[in-house]
Amino acid sequence: MKKHKIFFIGALSLIIFGLLLPQPIQALLVLVESPIKEFFETHSLLLCIIVGLIQGLSEECGYYFVFRTIFKNESSIKIPIFFGLGRSSLHTIFDIVTILMMHNNISNLLIAIFSRVIGFGALMGLTLIDYNSIIKKKISYLILSVLLHAIMNGTLYAAELNLFKVNKNFDSLFMICFSCVVILISMLIYRKDLMATLKIHS
């Protein structure tokens, strides 16, 4: 499959599994008047955990599904690379546009934009972990990807709800630190599998 098609599928997958699928479910928890909303109004921490898990499950399992179906007859490093570029580019553009609309202070603006640039690398790392879950037949990689995504989203949502005292740049600083952790984990997984492959063929 051509690279631009893989890129487009990655971007389209973000729209489907990152927005269209999880957002209505999350809205039911916090916007629609119901006993569920009333319950989570008094259990905010649990709400953050659930919201994070919904986003993590929807996105990472969604991408896993795409790898298992659309790309089932292809195995090349260009698949996760260009799929990840499609997913990560659209996500980063959306984040930066949102940041430009919300920040007035130039220093806070630059830190926020930098955090999303680093976050781009984290999204690429998560994509690589999802793909390795298929190639290496290790469902544990998919579970790890979901949990990492859930922790990221859940923590940012908790900060948004002011569940703990943080400074104004907490979300940006957290994104930078956590993204570095995700990138490191994905690199370690890829290095581990690459070394295992080399040993098999040596």
Side-chain angles (χ1 to χ4, degrees), residues 17-49:
F17 300 110
L19 295 173
L20 297 181
L21 184 59
Q23 295 299 324
I25 299 174
Q26 293 169 355
L28 287 174
L29 302 180
V30 297
L31 297 178
V32 179
E33 294 295 337
S34 68
I36 296 176
K37 179 185 176 182
E38 294 177 5
F39 173 80
F40 282 118
E41 284 177 346
T42 57
H43 297 80
S44 299
L45 182 58
L46 179 59
L47 174 63
C48 294
I49 294 172

Side-chain angles (χ1 to χ4, degrees), residues 59-99:
E59 286 201 50
E60 306 312 326
C61 290
Y63 305 142
Y64 179 91
F65 172 77
V66 172
F67 289 142
R68 283 291 300 267
T69 54
I70 296 178
F71 302 115
K72 65 179 179 179
N73 295 321
E74 299 189 43
S75 81
S76 168
I77 190 61
K78 75 176 183 179
I79 302 297
I81 294 299
F82 286 94
F83 182 94
L85 285 172
R87 164 198 186 182
S88 305
S89 297
L90 186 59
H91 199 298
T92 303
I93 290 171
F94 175 79
D95 284 347
I96 290 178
V97 169
T98 303
I99 288 168

Side-chain angles (χ1 to χ4, degrees), residues 84-156:
L85 285 172
R87 164 198 186 182
S88 305
S89 297
L90 186 59
H91 199 298
T92 303
I93 290 171
F94 175 79
D95 284 347
I96 290 178
V97 169
T98 303
I99 288 168
L100 291 173
M101 294 173 61
M102 294 178 60
H103 287 73
N104 295 319
N105 184 288
I106 186 65
S107 61
N108 292 340
L109 176 65
L110 291 175
I111 293 173
I113 291 176
F114 178 71
S115 72
R116 268 49 184 188
V117 172
I118 299 297
F120 177 96
L123 294 175
M124 290 293 293
L126 289 174
T127 304
L128 189 59
I129 295 173
D130 294 337
Y131 186 72
N132 268 274
S133 182
I134 298 285
I135 298 301
K136 303 302 178 182
K137 298 180 180 180
K138 293 183 178 180
I139 197 66
S140 58
Y141 284 176
L142 177 61
I143 294 172
L144 174 62
S145 180
V146 169
L147 289 177
L148 288 172
H149 198 132
I151 292 171
M152 179 176 66
N153 278 70
T155 302
L156 291 175

